[in-house]
Amino acid sequence: MVIFWPLSLFVLGGLNCDQTMINTVELNPSKSATINDFEEDCDCSGAPCPLFPSVTNGPAKVGYARNYDAGSGLFDCSWWWAEVYRGVIQFDVASLGAPADRITGATLEFDLSTIYDDPIFADNCPNDLLSSIWIVNEPWAPKLTLAADFMTGNTSKPNCIVNHHSVDASQVVRDWISGARPNFGFMFIGWDESTPANDEVTYVTTVTNVKLKVLYTVPAMP
């Protein structure tokens, strides 16, 4: 879905005959997903079995889920599994119909919503888990190690309210449109991707209300 808000920009306070229009456009994601790496102790040896990564279409998430059984009933020995999540989001910038040199600005806008579920300790005000945002350089695949370039770290101050974030994306949008960079979207990474064998907790941040706001110039109507 594309939403237009046409604004007029008048050079020299509107007195110049050279008048330019600026369109402000909001793009919704064309697709989003969560890359999930899963490992477990499948033979009660304590050592992890091979990873079983997957890509699940839907909301982009970062964080982890861990489960541990000390041999209390379901298993005769201690047993564990752990999942790690990275979120990916893509936008169809070609739908703008504007060349790269007309892009005057772009921002990636999103909120973060976090759940923390620990059977022993409950936290009613969890910090978000987002550590950094990356620009993906290859097609999405069931692996955490997608080729990507660092874009920005998370400098937010988490609180108990859903956190709104705005990140400058002007250059990457120009690069996507010009073809200087392939458009495989953004990747969101959490600050803890460890898979300990003795933990039981779910800590997940979901990237919500995602928009790419783009400003570009068009010639004014005569």
Side-chain angles (χ1 to χ4, degrees):
M1 178 180 179
V2 181
I3 304 172
F4 292 89
W5 286 285
L7 303 175
S8 294
L9 175 65
F10 296 90
V11 180
L12 298 179
L15 300 178
N16 194 297
C17 293
D18 182 13
Q19 184 180 5
T20 304
M21 296 291 294
I22 289 185
N23 277 342
T24 303
V25 182
E26 276 192 359
L27 293 179
N28 291 320
S30 56
K31 64 177 181 177
S32 64
T34 295
I35 301 174
N36 171 10
D37 249 2
F38 177 85
E39 66 178 47
E40 65 173 336
D41 174 15
C42 56
D43 58 6
C44 291
S45 67
C49 291
L51 294 175
F52 299 99
S54 63
V55 178
T56 303
N57 293 328
K61 300 179 180 181
V62 300
Y64 55 82
R66 303 165 181 165
N67 184 271
Y68 175 70
D69 189 299
S72 59
L74 292 177
F75 302 93
D76 294 332
C77 60
S78 62
W79 173 85
W80 62 272
W81 61 259
E83 294 180 290
V84 174
Y85 310 119
R86 286 185 176 183
V88 282
I89 295 176
Q90 189 176 34
F91 296 89
D92 180 14
V93 295
S95 65
L96 293 170
D101 60 2
R102 289 193 176 274
I103 303 299
T104 60
T107 56
L108 177 64
E109 307 271 345
F110 59 92
D111 296 333
L112 297 176
S113 178
T114 300
I115 61 169
Y116 180 87
D117 183 14
D118 187 307
I120 299 175
F121 175 75
D123 187 343
N124 294 322
C125 185
N127 292 343
D128 70 67
L129 281 176
L130 180 62
S131 170
S132 56
I133 304 173
W134 296 67
I135 305 165
V136 184
N137 294 325
E138 66 171 319
W140 299 355
K143 60 179 182 178
L144 294 185
T145 55
L146 290 176
D149 293 325
F150 178 80
M151 181 180 178
T152 184
N154 179 27
T155 58
S156 67
K157 296 180 179 180
N159 53 48
C160 293
I161 303 174
V162 174
N163 296 284
H164 183 72
H165 299 253
S166 179
V167 177
D168 181 68
S170 303
Q171 190 56 51
V172 65
V173 169
R174 294 187 191 103
D175 289 345
W176 284 339
I177 292 175
S178 70
R181 180 189 294 273
N183 179 9
F184 296 111
F186 302 102
M187 178 165 59
F188 297 75
I189 298 179
W191 54 261
D192 187 350
E193 296 187 334
S194 60
T195 55
N198 59 350
D199 197 8
E200 186 171 357
V201 63
T202 298
Y203 205 162
V204 178
T205 292
T206 302
V207 186
T208 64
N209 301 322
V210 189
K211 306 283 185 183
L212 185 64
K213 293 185 178 180
V214 184
L215 281 73
Y216 64 93
T217 61
V218 294
M221 296 295 292

